[in-house]
Short mmCIF file of all heavy atoms in Angstrom, two decimals:
data_model
loop_
_atom_site.label_atom_id
_atom_site.label_comp_id
_atom_site.label_asym_id
_atom_site.label_seq_id
_atom_site.Cartn_x
_atom_site.Cartn_y
_atom_site.Cartn_z
N CYS A 1 76.28 96.93 72.93
CA CYS A 1 76.00 97.00 74.35
C CYS A 1 77.17 96.51 75.21
O CYS A 1 77.51 97.11 76.24
CB CYS A 1 74.70 96.32 74.70
SG CYS A 1 73.26 97.08 74.06
N GLN A 2 77.63 95.27 74.71
CA GLN A 2 78.86 94.81 75.54
C GLN A 2 80.11 95.79 75.43
O GLN A 2 80.80 95.90 76.42
CB GLN A 2 79.14 93.45 74.96
CG GLN A 2 78.18 92.42 75.24
CD GLN A 2 78.56 91.05 74.63
OE1 GLN A 2 79.51 90.96 73.83
NE2 GLN A 2 77.82 89.98 75.07
N ASN A 3 80.26 96.37 74.29
CA ASN A 3 81.49 97.34 74.11
C ASN A 3 81.23 98.53 74.99
O ASN A 3 82.12 99.00 75.67
CB ASN A 3 81.53 97.77 72.67
CG ASN A 3 81.85 96.63 71.73
OD1 ASN A 3 82.36 95.65 72.14
ND2 ASN A 3 81.61 96.71 70.45
N VAL A 4 79.89 99.01 75.12
CA VAL A 4 79.74 100.14 76.01
C VAL A 4 79.85 99.67 77.45
O VAL A 4 80.41 100.58 78.28
CB VAL A 4 78.12 100.63 75.76
CG1 VAL A 4 77.72 101.59 76.93
CG2 VAL A 4 78.01 101.21 74.45
N ILE A 5 79.41 98.62 77.85
CA ILE A 5 79.68 98.17 79.20
C ILE A 5 81.19 98.03 79.48
O ILE A 5 81.65 98.42 80.57
CB ILE A 5 78.94 96.85 79.43
CG1 ILE A 5 77.46 97.05 79.41
CG2 ILE A 5 79.38 96.16 80.79
CD1 ILE A 5 76.63 95.64 79.39
N ALA A 6 81.97 97.53 78.58
CA ALA A 6 83.33 97.38 78.74
C ALA A 6 83.92 98.87 78.80
O ALA A 6 84.91 99.01 79.66
CB ALA A 6 84.00 96.64 77.66
N TYR A 7 83.53 99.66 78.04
CA TYR A 7 84.03 101.13 78.10
C TYR A 7 83.68 101.68 79.46
O TYR A 7 84.56 102.34 80.04
CB TYR A 7 83.51 101.91 76.96
CG TYR A 7 83.73 103.36 76.97
CD1 TYR A 7 85.11 103.73 76.51
CD2 TYR A 7 82.87 104.34 77.40
CE1 TYR A 7 85.49 105.12 76.59
CE2 TYR A 7 83.17 105.62 77.50
CZ TYR A 7 84.44 106.06 77.00
OH TYR A 7 84.91 107.34 77.04
N LEU A 8 82.53 101.50 79.92
CA LEU A 8 82.20 102.13 81.31
C LEU A 8 82.90 101.48 82.36
O LEU A 8 83.30 102.21 83.39
CB LEU A 8 80.60 101.85 81.44
CG LEU A 8 79.62 102.69 80.53
CD1 LEU A 8 78.30 102.39 80.85
CD2 LEU A 8 79.89 104.19 80.66
N ASP A 9 83.23 100.16 82.31
CA ASP A 9 83.98 99.57 83.32
C ASP A 9 85.38 100.10 83.30
O ASP A 9 86.03 100.31 84.35
CB ASP A 9 84.10 98.04 82.98
CG ASP A 9 82.70 97.31 83.39
OD1 ASP A 9 81.99 98.00 84.08
OD2 ASP A 9 82.51 96.24 82.78
N SER A 10 86.04 100.28 82.13
CA SER A 10 87.39 100.85 81.97
C SER A 10 87.39 102.31 82.56
O SER A 10 88.33 102.63 83.33
CB SER A 10 87.87 100.88 80.55
OG SER A 10 87.04 101.71 79.74
N GLN A 11 86.45 103.11 82.24
CA GLN A 11 86.30 104.43 82.81
C GLN A 11 86.12 104.43 84.32
O GLN A 11 86.77 105.29 85.09
CB GLN A 11 85.17 105.20 82.21
CG GLN A 11 85.29 105.46 80.76
CD GLN A 11 86.52 106.32 80.43
OE1 GLN A 11 86.77 107.31 81.14
NE2 GLN A 11 87.20 105.96 79.38
N ASN A 12 85.41 103.46 84.86
CA ASN A 12 85.23 103.30 86.25
C ASN A 12 86.54 103.05 86.94
O ASN A 12 86.91 103.45 88.02
CB ASN A 12 84.23 102.24 86.62
CG ASN A 12 83.92 102.13 88.01
OD1 ASN A 12 83.90 103.23 88.78
ND2 ASN A 12 83.58 101.05 88.59
N ARG A 13 87.35 102.17 86.36
CA ARG A 13 88.69 101.80 86.83
C ARG A 13 89.58 103.02 86.78
O ARG A 13 90.38 103.18 87.75
CB ARG A 13 89.27 100.71 86.09
CG ARG A 13 88.65 99.31 86.30
CD ARG A 13 89.54 98.16 85.72
NE ARG A 13 89.68 98.28 84.36
CZ ARG A 13 88.87 97.76 83.40
NH1 ARG A 13 87.76 97.08 83.79
NH2 ARG A 13 89.10 97.92 82.07
N TYR A 14 89.51 103.81 85.75
CA TYR A 14 90.35 105.02 85.75
C TYR A 14 89.91 105.97 86.81
O TYR A 14 90.76 106.67 87.39
CB TYR A 14 90.21 105.67 84.34
CG TYR A 14 90.84 104.87 83.20
CD1 TYR A 14 90.32 104.89 81.88
CD2 TYR A 14 91.95 104.08 83.42
CE1 TYR A 14 90.81 104.22 80.83
CE2 TYR A 14 92.49 103.40 82.39
CZ TYR A 14 92.01 103.40 81.07
OH TYR A 14 92.50 102.69 80.10
N PHE A 15 88.61 106.04 86.94
CA PHE A 15 88.16 107.03 88.00
C PHE A 15 88.64 106.54 89.47
O PHE A 15 89.11 107.32 90.32
CB PHE A 15 86.61 107.07 87.99
CG PHE A 15 86.07 108.00 89.05
CD1 PHE A 15 86.10 109.21 88.93
CD2 PHE A 15 85.36 107.43 90.16
CE1 PHE A 15 85.49 110.10 89.95
CE2 PHE A 15 84.89 108.26 91.14
CZ PHE A 15 84.91 109.56 91.01
N GLU A 16 88.54 105.25 89.73
CA GLU A 16 89.08 104.77 90.98
C GLU A 16 90.53 104.93 91.27
O GLU A 16 91.07 105.29 92.31
CB GLU A 16 88.58 103.26 91.17
CG GLU A 16 87.11 103.00 91.17
CD GLU A 16 86.75 101.44 91.29
OE1 GLU A 16 87.82 100.66 91.16
OE2 GLU A 16 85.67 101.14 91.62
N TYR A 17 91.22 104.70 90.14
CA TYR A 17 92.69 104.97 90.17
C TYR A 17 93.06 106.38 90.43
O TYR A 17 94.00 106.77 91.17
CB TYR A 17 93.29 104.49 88.86
CG TYR A 17 94.80 104.77 88.76
CD1 TYR A 17 95.71 103.93 89.40
CD2 TYR A 17 95.41 105.83 88.02
CE1 TYR A 17 97.03 104.24 89.36
CE2 TYR A 17 96.62 106.10 87.98
CZ TYR A 17 97.58 105.33 88.62
OH TYR A 17 98.94 105.61 88.52
N SER A 18 92.22 107.32 89.80
CA SER A 18 92.45 108.78 90.04
C SER A 18 92.24 109.09 91.41
O SER A 18 92.98 109.91 92.04
CB SER A 18 91.62 109.57 89.00
OG SER A 18 91.92 109.23 87.64
N VAL A 19 91.04 108.65 91.93
CA VAL A 19 90.74 108.91 93.34
C VAL A 19 91.79 108.36 94.34
O VAL A 19 92.22 109.09 95.26
CB VAL A 19 89.32 108.40 93.65
CG1 VAL A 19 89.09 108.49 95.19
CG2 VAL A 19 88.27 109.00 92.89
N ASP A 20 92.31 107.18 94.10
CA ASP A 20 93.26 106.64 94.94
C ASP A 20 94.61 107.52 94.82
O ASP A 20 95.27 107.62 95.84
CB ASP A 20 93.56 105.13 94.61
CG ASP A 20 92.35 104.32 94.90
OD1 ASP A 20 91.54 104.67 95.71
OD2 ASP A 20 92.31 103.13 94.24
N SER A 21 94.96 107.84 93.64
CA SER A 21 96.12 108.67 93.44
C SER A 21 96.01 110.01 94.12
O SER A 21 97.00 110.44 94.83
CB SER A 21 96.41 108.89 91.96
OG SER A 21 96.61 107.62 91.29
N ILE A 22 94.84 110.60 94.02
CA ILE A 22 94.68 111.95 94.68
C ILE A 22 94.80 111.77 96.11
O ILE A 22 95.39 112.61 96.93
CB ILE A 22 93.28 112.53 94.26
CG1 ILE A 22 93.45 112.88 92.76
CG2 ILE A 22 93.01 113.81 95.10
CD1 ILE A 22 92.05 113.34 92.17
N TYR A 23 94.19 110.65 96.77
CA TYR A 23 94.16 110.46 98.24
C TYR A 23 95.67 110.22 98.64
O TYR A 23 96.04 110.61 99.66
CB TYR A 23 93.33 109.40 98.51
CG TYR A 23 93.26 109.05 100.02
CD1 TYR A 23 92.67 110.04 100.86
CD2 TYR A 23 93.78 107.88 100.61
CE1 TYR A 23 92.50 109.79 102.23
CE2 TYR A 23 93.69 107.73 101.98
CZ TYR A 23 93.05 108.62 102.76
OH TYR A 23 92.96 108.40 104.11
N ALA A 24 96.44 109.38 97.80
CA ALA A 24 97.84 109.16 98.19
C ALA A 24 98.65 110.46 98.16
O ALA A 24 99.57 110.67 99.06
CB ALA A 24 98.47 108.08 97.28
N THR A 25 98.28 111.32 97.22
CA THR A 25 98.95 112.71 97.12
C THR A 25 98.65 113.40 98.47
O THR A 25 99.55 114.03 98.96
CB THR A 25 98.68 113.39 95.89
OG1 THR A 25 98.90 112.59 94.75
CG2 THR A 25 99.40 114.75 95.79
N PHE A 26 97.42 113.43 98.75
CA PHE A 26 96.95 114.12 100.02
C PHE A 26 97.76 113.61 101.31
O PHE A 26 98.13 114.40 102.08
CB PHE A 26 95.55 113.95 100.10
CG PHE A 26 94.95 114.43 101.51
CD1 PHE A 26 94.86 115.77 101.82
CD2 PHE A 26 94.58 113.42 102.40
CE1 PHE A 26 94.44 116.22 103.13
CE2 PHE A 26 94.12 113.92 103.61
CZ PHE A 26 94.07 115.22 103.95
N LEU A 27 97.99 112.32 101.36
CA LEU A 27 98.58 111.74 102.57
C LEU A 27 100.06 112.09 102.50
O LEU A 27 100.71 112.30 103.56
CB LEU A 27 98.43 110.23 102.55
CG LEU A 27 96.97 109.72 102.66
CD1 LEU A 27 97.11 108.17 102.81
CD2 LEU A 27 96.54 110.16 103.96
N SER A 28 100.68 112.25 101.26
CA SER A 28 102.14 112.64 101.23
C SER A 28 102.36 114.16 101.34
O SER A 28 103.63 114.49 101.41
CB SER A 28 102.68 112.08 99.90
OG SER A 28 102.14 112.67 98.85
N MET A 29 101.40 114.97 101.26
CA MET A 29 101.59 116.44 101.25
C MET A 29 102.25 117.02 102.51
O MET A 29 103.04 117.87 102.43
CB MET A 29 100.28 117.13 100.96
CG MET A 29 99.77 117.07 99.58
SD MET A 29 101.07 117.63 98.37
CE MET A 29 101.08 119.41 98.78
N PRO A 30 101.97 116.46 103.76
CA PRO A 30 102.55 117.04 104.91
C PRO A 30 104.03 116.95 104.90
O PRO A 30 104.81 117.68 105.44
CB PRO A 30 101.99 116.09 106.15
CG PRO A 30 100.67 115.84 105.60
CD PRO A 30 100.75 115.54 104.02
N ASN A 31 104.64 115.87 104.13
CA ASN A 31 106.07 115.74 104.02
C ASN A 31 106.70 116.42 103.02
O ASN A 31 107.92 116.51 102.81
CB ASN A 31 106.40 114.26 103.93
CG ASN A 31 105.98 113.42 105.07
OD1 ASN A 31 105.96 113.82 106.19
ND2 ASN A 31 105.48 112.11 104.87
N VAL A 32 105.85 117.05 102.07
CA VAL A 32 106.33 117.81 100.98
C VAL A 32 106.10 119.39 101.20
O VAL A 32 104.92 119.73 101.04
CB VAL A 32 105.74 117.29 99.67
CG1 VAL A 32 106.31 118.22 98.39
CG2 VAL A 32 105.97 115.84 99.47
#
């Protein structure tokens, strides 16, 4: 159970990083 919780936490961090990266790309698109 602890391993599953740690795995879900890591996936959540990856998801948040992906969302932030996509938003940063969206903000930089007018200059590209």
Side-chain angles (χ1 to χ4, degrees):
C1 293
Q2 291 181 347
N3 296 339
V4 171
I5 294 174
Y7 176 76
L8 294 177
D9 290 339
S10 63
Q11 294 298 317
N12 188 30
R13 289 193 298 269
Y14 291 148
F15 179 76
E16 292 178 354
Y17 176 76
S18 301
V19 172
D20 295 339
S21 299
I22 293 174
Y23 184 69
T25 304
F26 167 74
L27 294 179
S28 62
M29 286 304 294
N31 299 326
V32 181

